Amino acid sequence: MSRLQVVSGKGGTGKTTVAAALALALAEEGKRTLLVEVEGRQGIAQLFETEALPYEERKIAVAPGGGEVYALAIDPELALLDYLQMFYKLGGAGRALKKLGAIDFATTIAPGLRDVLLTGKACEAVRRKEKSGRFAYDYVVMDAPPTGRITRFLNVNDEVAGLAKIGPIHNQAQAVMRVLKSPETAVHLVTLLEEMPVQETADGIAELRAAKLPVGRVIVNMVRPEVLDAAELELVRGTARSSFAQSLSAAGLGGARRGGHAERLVDPLLAQAEEYAERYALEHEQRAVLGELGLPLHELPLLAEGMDLAGLYQLAKELRKQGMS
């Protein structure tokens, strides 16, 4: 597995949940994973049922086998102060600029700069080593911006390196792109078995490939259980209405007389079966579209009880079972 795992997806597909579950899955058996948030929504803190994340790496969970998950919510302003100290040794001058509002102005007026700082901080965590020579983190998982913005977000350092031909900014941008365009990185896209998310996934993959960014896997989230298969649906369609009423009556659900309780149940049940058949056909059609993308495909179940910390561990277990660890 690549050491930097980037997770993107159309809004509403649950990409933050998948990123968190992936971080848990990768941290098994004593490994250490850093889960990075770049959008300032504090979604990771909510999932792990902890207080809002500060701009520091904090342990938030223990994975099966004793592995650890750390989390970091990257603040662009503070990341810029880090950058100014690292490359220009501004120190107190950088803090003075922040008090004057210059840091906030710089990161707001130049959105591309925000992306440079966010990707740069994540890549620094990937490259960081301890005194022993071991990497500080075995894996870094980034909960990245949505699919429609992911290619520009990851490719911004290429643009910066082209604009700044020499100096520390140019060198930093090139170092970040060496990580992002290498086998060290994999960009996974999260989708649902619905037309719009699947189409946006296909478009996102095409854009990532055109930018020569390493596409990883497609993860289908919130997959509903299959109640009836194709043969059973065909049997429902071919069964006479009266036979349904008789079967319901035999099961003790009302008399078989015309207008009885069993007969009144037939129409709602057939309507529900038809609705299910339409969804079944749509989902199989979208699976076929995803299958044509030529990428490994994983599916995560819809959790009937809703998403909580126990559900997150359940999804992590499912990802491990499917080979994503």
Side-chain angles (χ1 to χ4, degrees), residues 198-242:
V198 167
Q199 184 59 56
E200 191 162 314
T201 298
D203 293 343
I205 288 169
E207 290 177 4
L208 288 165
R209 285 172 169 164
K212 295 182 171 54
L213 288 161
V215 185
R217 309 179 185 206
V218 174
I219 303 166
V220 184
N221 195 24
M222 294 185 272
V223 177
R224 287 171 282 196
E226 189 174 277
V227 179
L228 302 173
D229 61 22
E232 290 167 330
L233 284 169
E234 197 59 38
L235 181 63
V236 170
R237 290 192 182 98
T239 302
R241 190 178 183 283
S242 58

Side-chain angles (χ1 to χ4, degrees), residues 24-94:
L24 276 170
L26 291 169
E28 66 174 349
E29 300 302 329
K31 292 187 174 65
R32 183 186 290 179
T33 300
L34 176 65
L35 179 57
V36 175
E37 181 175 82
V38 299
E39 294 184 281
R41 295 185 294 106
Q42 290 293 337
I44 291 170
Q46 293 172 35
L47 281 170
F48 284 93
E49 300 173 6
T50 186
E51 61 188 26
L53 297 173
Y55 181 61
E56 64 182 36
E57 293 156 23
R58 171 182 292 178
K59 186 165 77 172
I60 58 170
V62 176
E68 298 174 326
V69 176
Y70 286 73
L72 170 66
I74 303 178
D75 182 314
E77 292 182 37
L78 297 176
L80 181 53
L81 287 176
D82 281 352
Y83 183 89
L84 293 173
Q85 172 60 22
M86 187 181 303
F87 292 106
Y88 297 100
K89 310 300 181 190
L90 286 185

Side-chain angles (χ1 to χ4, degrees), residues 162-201:
L163 291 172
K165 300 296 184 182
I166 58 172
I169 294 178
H170 173 84
N171 295 337
Q172 167 71 0
Q174 281 200 321
V176 170
M177 290 315 300
R178 278 196 295 272
V179 173
L180 293 178
K181 290 193 172 183
S182 77
E184 279 193 290
T185 299
V187 185
H188 309 300
L189 297 185
V190 180
T191 186
L192 305 178
L193 288 175
E194 298 172 6
E195 285 185 278
M196 286 186 64
V198 167
Q199 184 59 56
E200 191 162 314
T201 298

